[in-house]
Amino acid sequence: MTSTATFRRILAVGELRAIWFAELQSILGDQVARVALSVLVFQRTGSATWPALTYALTYLPDLIGGPLLGGLADRFPRRAVMVCSDVVRALLVAVLAVPGIPLAVLAAVLVVVQLANAPFTAAQAAVLPSVLSGDDYVLGQSLLKITNQVGQLAGFALGGAVIAAIGPGRGLAVDAVTFGISAIVLRLGVRARTAPGSGGPATSTLRRLSAGARTIWRDRRLRALVGLAWLAGFVIVPEGLAVPYAAEIGGGAATAGLLLAAHPAGIVLGVFALGRLVRPEVRLRLVGVLALGAIVPLAAFWFRPSLPYAAGLLVLSGMCAAYQVTASTTFMRLVPDTERGQAFGLAGSGLIAVQGIGLIAGGLLVGVLGSPATTVSVIALAGLVVAVPATRAWRHVASLHPL
């Protein structure tokens, strides 16, 4: 009989420890950088729209990067892909830290940074099933998700205070250092493996894209999971409007940091509760319901809640958004190893792209409505219109096809 997976057991695996530590310190730097960018642009422009649009640039380029670059995780050794991506991002973020950098240059460099993120995330997701298996893999994925969200929680909560103390430029420099540390840790701590697609004939990017798309499209289970995951585009809007919303309710950078920390805190609670208290088959059935639950609380922003109530709504939304862990682990289990990088690149890039689109929509709509609170609630109501049929589709396919 296979023993129950535990955090102690998976952390005893040296490669998992390296991936975990690299993720933790890197995500801390990323969130400080996101606060720094929002504050920097808001200070320079005095506009509620431009911080949201700049924030979107940390997501939207994956619409191109994921499909085009995610397949590198199948064609080249995955450790090498992760290390090279980290080195490139460290150098580029260091450029963002240059004092007085023009906003147009900042935006252009930020796009390239995000493009370099696509092969890294594809390689990390694809290598994890080779490091862990069975229930250990599910728990390992949960650990990385919790780490990601705790890092966001700490980074966002402390980000406002850090930026207030050292300034946006130095905050970006901190992020550059974390990428360098991540590259070193992964190079030393993860075993070199032959690329799963290196033994076959060379194929063009277009053919790899077509193969990955066919893998997803032919499996109704994969299509349904991707559709539910992409609902995150409606949930992310409060992040892009955190700084102007804080100003709307009379707060500043520290208030914005707490608002940004609330949603990740909820995800941590949700992932822990689902992993510890809910059986795997029940988690699969709850995916659709929780996807709806991630959107519903945001509609209450119509009433312009004060900081404690707004944070509570975001925590509740985050707890439901923990369904993304179940969706992603199920997706990766269903995809063959030789296609994981490309399939993840397509699905993951779409996920990040819809988040970017949501942030852009929020930034543009707030310019029309004039209120970040109203903007969040209107987009949440639109999200419910999309989420209801997506939830029904998942319930139908889950009842017909074994998972």
Side-chain angles (χ1 to χ4, degrees), residues 103-118:
L103 291 182
V105 176
L106 182 148
V109 174
L110 194 57
V111 168
V112 181
V113 170
Q114 192 59 30
L115 288 175
N117 182 61

Side-chain angles (χ1 to χ4, degrees), residues 175-270:
D175 190 33
V177 171
T178 64
F179 280 127
I181 294 174
S182 176
I184 294 171
V185 170
L186 292 172
R187 175 62 180 80
L188 298 177
V190 176
R191 182 167 61 87
R193 291 177 173 84
T194 303
S198 61
T203 56
S204 67
T205 298
L206 181 60
R207 289 190 176 184
R208 293 197 301 271
L209 281 172
S210 298
R214 284 196 302 271
T215 297
I216 297 173
W217 184 254
R218 289 174 177 174
D219 193 321
R220 297 177 64 185
R221 300 168 299 177
L222 296 180
R223 294 205 309 269
L225 288 168
V226 168
L228 289 171
W230 286 3
L231 293 175
F234 298 99
V235 178
I236 199 173
V237 174
E239 288 189 22
L241 296 176
V243 172
Y245 184 78
E248 185 177 25
I249 61 175
T255 299
L258 291 173
L259 289 171
L260 287 166
H263 195 266
I267 292 180
V268 171
L269 293 174

Side-chain angles (χ1 to χ4, degrees), residues 110-136:
L110 194 57
V111 168
V112 181
V113 170
Q114 192 59 30
L115 288 175
N117 182 61
F120 179 92
T121 55
Q124 184 193 65
V127 80
L128 193 61
S130 300
V131 174
L132 300 172
S133 60
D135 290 340
D136 285 352

